[in-house]
């Protein structure tokens, strides 16, 4: 009877609670059925389990977790200069323009962190065997920063804009003999008249949106407000501009482009602050108003002593500083004898030691020694005032009682122009002192950094210009030395014209064979150093200082200062823990 009662109770319980395990809400009644000892055991076990879990989480980072970038944070960088055209088609030698357009706009191709050409807006591409046809498929997820789709029509519009003779721009010579056909909305084909081994590099030019620019007349192209408040398709987009009371552009604030077709940037905000000179920038650095400095002259770096807060990146840069002669502004410079005398009277070693503190390399020609196309056999003009004087005497110049060189009623005088930048100003002062010691009347003119392109270089308004220029690591000297580049927006700063040089540069550009190209460049260097259209001074690395909190920068070399932003999508400040 007793057993029967138990079975009956079990069935009754099963009918009420059909599952073996209690529900969560039923567990609240559990303490009523536990003894004091059982409660202590369960409580101890629970505490032990919690402590074990905490220990597991704390100990995991060293074994199973790693630190990874996390979105957020702001990077603020200081630059000397002021933006003029935030339009990749119009941007010339202004480093501010080139830097901002690199971030805001994207091209068909780009330079990656290793300075290799890589697809940007391009999904796939194919080059014909004769190197005359380039079939390109565009990424179909790319949009402009205002949300409009980016397609083949935009590419055709950009090429037509670059080729428009009314829109003067530095890219027009590279697209002079290029045709582009639309296959469909995301497929195009470029057709070249002759092979160009640098064509993919040319296609790194940033693109502007057709739907915004197509109705803007060519005469208004450089004056449009979109040159100041740009819309592109790059990883960062324009947010706001700040000006001083006098109208000087004080800063640009960019924000992450969340519509970007590739990896979104980790940094949420990028601010570029602009200063009229290095002294103003130095003051901003000392007050920690910037977390990076776009370029730091050697003496400036030592003066600031920033090793505790900034990380220094010494980037290889195919740059050289030279004195570019303009015989169109001074007839005396048309004489090779005068140019050679000036070359022998220029103390390169003194410049290297006093201005660069030995951190550089003397150069003697238009292709740098680090290039495989460099010609070590070119003429080298070492400092020798006696040789300089001999060249002038042989050219009919005589020294007068005033210790200056004269020829009949003419006095040998030259105006030396450079940028208001401490390094270049000191270089120019040393040159002025040396030339005047030789007996050449030398006037020094310095020009603000934000005016050098507009007022001096574009108009070729100088006699002798102390200036730094950049050539790519592939050594292509065409932009600086071909006669077609004599007038702005061309970059032939000496207005040099030589039929044989033109022929060599074109053939070197066309050939697919490196050894043939090198042979052309060797002869080119010999002609340049013999004709002396410029005095080549020195080359130095590009010192880039960035706050140590900025991570993800993996640069070793750049083609131009704007390349410091290659891979900026990988830069980050904030981190998180993720499973390895």
């Amino acid at each position: 009877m007793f057993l029967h009662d138990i079975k009956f109770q079990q069935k009754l319980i099963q009918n009420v609670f059909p599952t073996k395990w209690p529900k969560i809400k039923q567990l609240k009644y559990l303490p009523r059925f536990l003894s004091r000892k059982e409660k202590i055991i369960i409580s101890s076990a629970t505490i032990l389990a919690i402590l074990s879990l905490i220990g597991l989480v704390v100990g995991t980072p060293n074994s199973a977790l790693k630190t990874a970038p996390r979105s957020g944070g702001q990077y603020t960088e200081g630059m000397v200069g002021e933006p003029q055209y935030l339009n990749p088609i119009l941007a010339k030698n202004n480093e501010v323009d080139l830097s901002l357009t690199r971030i805001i706009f994207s091209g068909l191709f780009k330079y990656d962190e290793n300075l290799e050409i890589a697809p940007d807006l391009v999904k796939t591409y194919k080059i014909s065997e004769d190197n005359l046809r380039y079939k390109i498929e565009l990424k179909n997820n790319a949009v402009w920063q205002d949300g409009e789709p980016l397609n083949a029509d935009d590419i055709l519009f950009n090429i037509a804009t670059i080729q428009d003779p009314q829109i003067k721009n530095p890219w027009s010579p590279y697209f002079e003999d290029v045709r582009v056909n639309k296959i469909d909305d995301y497929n195009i084909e470029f057709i070249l008249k002759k092979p160009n081994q640098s064509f993919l590099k040319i296609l790194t030019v940033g693109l502007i949106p057709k739907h915004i620019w197509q109705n803007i007349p060519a005469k208004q192209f450089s004056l449009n407000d979109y040159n100041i408040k740009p819309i592109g398709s790059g990883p960062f987009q324009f947010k706001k501009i700040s000006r001083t009371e006098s109208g000087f552009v004080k800063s640009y604030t960019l924000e992450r482009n969340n519509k970007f077709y590739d990896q979104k940037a980790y940094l949420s905000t990028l601010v570029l602050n602009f200063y009229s000179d290095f002294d103003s920038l130095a003051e901003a650095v000392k007050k920690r108003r910037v977390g990076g400095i776009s370029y730091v002259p050697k003496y400036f770096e030592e003066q600031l002593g920033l090793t505790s807060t900034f990380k220094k990146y010494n980037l290889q840069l195919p740059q050289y500083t030279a004195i570019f002669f303009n015989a169109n502004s001074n007839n005396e410079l048309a004489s090779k004898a005068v140019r050679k005398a000036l070359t022998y009277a220029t103390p390169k070693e003194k410049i290297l030691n006093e201005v660069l503190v030995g951190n550089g390399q003397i150069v003697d020609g238009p292709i740098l020694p680090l290039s495989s196309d460099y010609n070590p056999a070119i003429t080298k003009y070492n400092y020798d005032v006696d040789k300089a004087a001999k060249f002038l005497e042989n050219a009919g110049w005589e020294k007068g009682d005033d210790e200056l060189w004269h020829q009949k009623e003419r006095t040998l005088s030259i105006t030396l122009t450079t940028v208001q930048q401490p390094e270049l100003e000191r270089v120019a002062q040393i040159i002025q002192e040396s030339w005047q010691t030789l007996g050449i009347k030398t006037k020094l003119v310095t020009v603000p950094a934000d005016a050098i392109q507009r007022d001096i270089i574009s108009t070729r308004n100088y006699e002798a210009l102390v200036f730094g220029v950049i050539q790519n690591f592939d050594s292509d000297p065409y932009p600086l030395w071909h006669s077609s580049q004599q007038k702005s927006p061309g970059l032939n700063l000496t207005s040099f014209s030589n039929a044989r040089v033109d022929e060599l540069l074109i053939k070197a550009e066309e050939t697919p064979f490196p050894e043939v190209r090198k042979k052309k460049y060797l002869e080119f260097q010999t002609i340049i150093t013999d004709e002396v259209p410029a005095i080549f001074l020195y080359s130095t690395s590009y010192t880039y200082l960035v706050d140590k909190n900025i991570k993800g920068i993996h640069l070793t070399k750049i083609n131009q200062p704007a390349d410091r932003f290659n891979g900026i999508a990988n830069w980050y400040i904030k981190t998180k823990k993720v499973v390895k």
Side-chain angles (χ1 to χ4, degrees):
M1 184 68 180
F2 178 74
L3 182 61
H4 175 76
D5 289 341
I6 292 176
K7 289 181 177 181
F8 175 77
Q9 291 176 15
Q10 287 177 340
K11 288 182 179 181
L12 183 62
I13 292 172
Q14 287 175 355
N15 288 331
V16 179
F17 306 107
T19 59
K20 292 183 178 181
W21 298 100
K23 296 180 180 178
I24 297 297
K25 64 181 181 179
Q26 295 171 332
L27 292 177
K28 64 182 181 180
Y29 300 107
L30 183 61
R32 297 182 184 181
F33 300 94
L34 298 176
S35 66
R36 185 172 181 275
K37 183 178 180 181
E38 289 171 331
K39 290 179 181 179
I40 293 173
I41 292 173
I42 291 176
S43 297
S44 300
T46 301
I47 293 172
L48 182 61
I50 293 172
L51 292 175
S52 298
L53 182 61
I54 293 173
L56 180 63
V57 172
V58 173
T60 298
N62 294 327
S63 58
L65 297 181
K66 65 177 180 180
T67 300
R70 178 166 63 90
S71 296
Q74 173 177 304
Y75 170 59
T76 302
E77 182 171 298
M79 295 186 70
V80 173
E82 184 181 20
Q84 296 175 8
Y85 298 112
L86 298 191
N87 181 326
I89 292 177
L90 298 178
K92 300 176 185 177
N93 285 333
N94 186 328
E95 288 187 12
V96 173
D97 291 350
L98 295 172
S99 296
L100 280 165
T101 55
R102 176 63 56 86
I103 304 166
I104 298 171
F105 296 87
S106 49
L108 291 173
F109 290 84
K110 66 180 179 180
Y111 286 99
D112 63 18
E113 290 175 298
N114 298 316
L115 219 55
E116 299 291 336
I117 289 291
D120 194 352
L121 287 164
V122 170
K123 183 178 180 181
T124 62
Y125 68 98
K126 183 178 180 181
I127 306 174
S128 63
E129 291 185 4
D130 59 5
N131 291 309
L132 293 176
R133 291 177 177 268
Y134 292 71
K135 286 187 176 181
I136 287 176
E137 179 187 5
L138 300 173
K139 293 174 179 175
N140 58 15
N141 63 333
V143 298
W144 297 102
Q145 289 159 356
D146 60 1
E148 291 293 316
L150 192 162
N151 55 39
D153 290 332
D154 290 295
I155 312 304
L156 269 64
F157 171 77
N158 274 265
I159 303 306
T161 300
I162 290 172
Q163 293 174 335
D164 187 340
Q166 296 184 79
I167 300 176
K168 298 185 182 301
N169 67 89
W171 293 95
S172 58
Y174 301 106
F175 289 93
E176 187 175 2
D177 294 323
V178 175
R179 288 192 296 119
V180 57
N181 295 328
K182 176 182 175 181
I183 300 172
D184 58 40
D185 282 349
Y186 293 98
N187 286 276
I188 57 175
E189 182 179 36
F190 287 98
I191 302 172
L192 281 58
K193 280 190 176 181
K194 54 189 178 182
N196 184 344
Q197 301 308 307
S198 300
F199 190 63
L200 293 185
K201 297 171 185 176
I202 294 170
L203 295 182
T204 60
V205 58
L207 303 172
I208 59 176
K210 176 184 177 181
H211 68 276
I212 287 177
W213 287 92
Q214 63 181 338
N215 296 320
I216 297 173
K219 291 182 179 179
Q220 300 296 320
F221 200 82
S222 63
L223 305 175
N224 194 272
D225 199 41
Y226 283 109
N227 289 318
I228 302 298
K229 300 176 181 179
I231 292 177
S233 57
F236 285 88
Q237 62 189 31
F238 168 79
K239 183 178 181 181
K240 68 176 182 179
I241 182 175
S242 176
R243 298 179 184 270
T244 63
E245 291 183 359
S246 63
F248 182 86
V249 177
K250 186 166 62 175
S251 70
Y252 260 88
T253 300
L254 310 178
E255 61 185 356
R256 178 174 53 233
N257 175 15
N258 291 319
K259 304 183 207 58
F260 191 54
Y261 48 87
D262 270 346
Q263 176 188 315
K264 310 294 188 297
Y266 291 115
L267 296 173
S268 59
T269 308
L270 182 62
V271 179
L272 290 182
N273 290 340
F274 309 115
Y275 301 90
S276 58
D277 50 51
F278 275 94
D279 289 335
S280 301
L281 176 55
E283 189 65 23
V285 172
K286 292 174 182 176
K287 294 181 178 180
R288 298 306 305 273
R289 291 175 180 168
V290 297
I293 308 171
S294 63
Y295 169 68
V296 186
K298 301 302 178 184
Y299 73 92
F300 191 69
E301 177 188 341
E302 295 181 358
Q303 178 182 332
L304 290 175
L306 301 172
T307 54
S308 61
T309 55
F310 288 80
K311 181 175 180 180
K312 181 169 69 173
Y313 297 87
N314 280 324
L315 307 177
Q316 296 180 46
L317 176 69
Q319 177 264 5
Y320 62 80
T321 298
I323 308 169
F324 296 94
F325 295 131
N326 181 11
N328 294 329
S329 296
N330 186 330
N331 292 332
E332 311 302 352
L333 294 173
S335 166
K336 186 193 293 188
V338 170
R339 297 196 301 272
K340 286 196 172 185
L342 292 169
T343 305
Y344 279 115
T346 302
K348 298 182 184 181
E349 287 282 355
K350 182 177 182 179
I351 292 171
L352 181 68
N353 294 327
E354 291 189 11
V355 182
L356 302 180
V357 200
N359 294 314
Q361 180 180 22
I362 289 175
V363 295
D364 300 288
I367 292 182
L368 299 175
L370 56 83
S371 170
S372 59
D373 296 321
Y374 173 67
N375 185 351
I378 55 175
T379 303
K380 296 175 177 59
Y381 298 89
N382 298 319
Y383 182 62
D384 191 327
V385 290
D386 292 335
K387 275 189 178 181
K390 198 67 177 175
F391 269 102
L392 293 177
E393 289 173 358
N394 292 341
W397 293 90
E398 297 179 351
K399 254 195 176 181
D401 296 335
D402 56 3
E403 292 299 311
L404 297 176
W405 291 95
H406 300 274
Q407 196 176 78
K408 296 182 180 178
E409 297 180 354
R410 304 198 316 272
T411 300
L412 184 53
S413 64
I414 295 173
T415 298
L416 195 62
T417 304
T418 194
V419 187
Q420 283 181 7
Q421 190 252 66
E423 179 180 299
L424 290 178
E425 285 181 301
R426 181 58 187 139
V427 169
Q429 288 168 2
I430 292 174
I431 295 167
Q432 179 192 34
E433 292 166 4
S434 184
W435 287 1
Q436 290 190 150
T437 299
L438 177 64
I440 300 173
K441 187 177 181 180
T442 308
K443 177 184 177 182
L444 181 58
V445 173
T446 61
V447 181
D450 58 346
I452 190 72
Q453 175 65 42
R454 179 186 65 246
D455 299 340
I456 302 300
I457 294 177
S458 293
T459 59
R460 302 296 194 260
N461 184 25
Y462 53 86
E463 297 179 8
L465 176 68
V466 181
F467 196 65
V469 296
I470 298 171
Q471 62 178 93
N472 290 343
F473 275 100
D474 61 7
S475 307
D476 183 13
Y478 181 99
L480 289 165
W481 298 104
H482 194 275
S483 63
S484 66
Q485 305 300 298
Q486 290 183 60
K487 294 182 179 180
S488 182
L491 300 176
N492 185 339
L493 300 180
T494 63
S495 297
F496 182 75
S497 180
N498 182 291
R500 179 56 180 164
V501 164
D502 285 353
E503 180 185 1
L504 290 168
L505 294 179
I506 291 173
K507 287 184 176 180
E509 194 175 64
E510 293 176 357
T511 181
F513 305 109
E515 287 305 314
V516 175
R517 181 166 57 252
K518 181 174 183 175
K519 186 177 180 181
K520 305 297 181 187
Y521 283 154
L522 291 178
E523 184 182 347
F524 154 73
Q525 292 168 79
T526 299
I527 295 173
I528 292 295
T529 52
D530 179 63
E531 291 296 322
V532 202
I535 302 175
F536 302 94
L537 299 174
Y538 61 84
S539 176
T540 185
S541 62
Y542 185 92
T543 302
Y544 186 32
L545 292 184
V546 183
D547 191 297
K548 289 182 177 179
N549 290 325
I550 304 293
K551 309 295 183 183
I553 302 178
H554 305 292
L555 297 171
T556 57
K557 60 181 181 179
I558 55 177
N559 271 328
Q560 56 177 293
D563 287 335
R564 69 189 185 278
F565 291 131
N566 291 349
I568 192 172
N570 299 320
W571 297 13
Y572 64 94
I573 297 174
K574 298 187 176 183
T575 61
K576 60 184 177 182
K577 296 294 183 180
V578 298
V579 177
K580 287 183 180 179

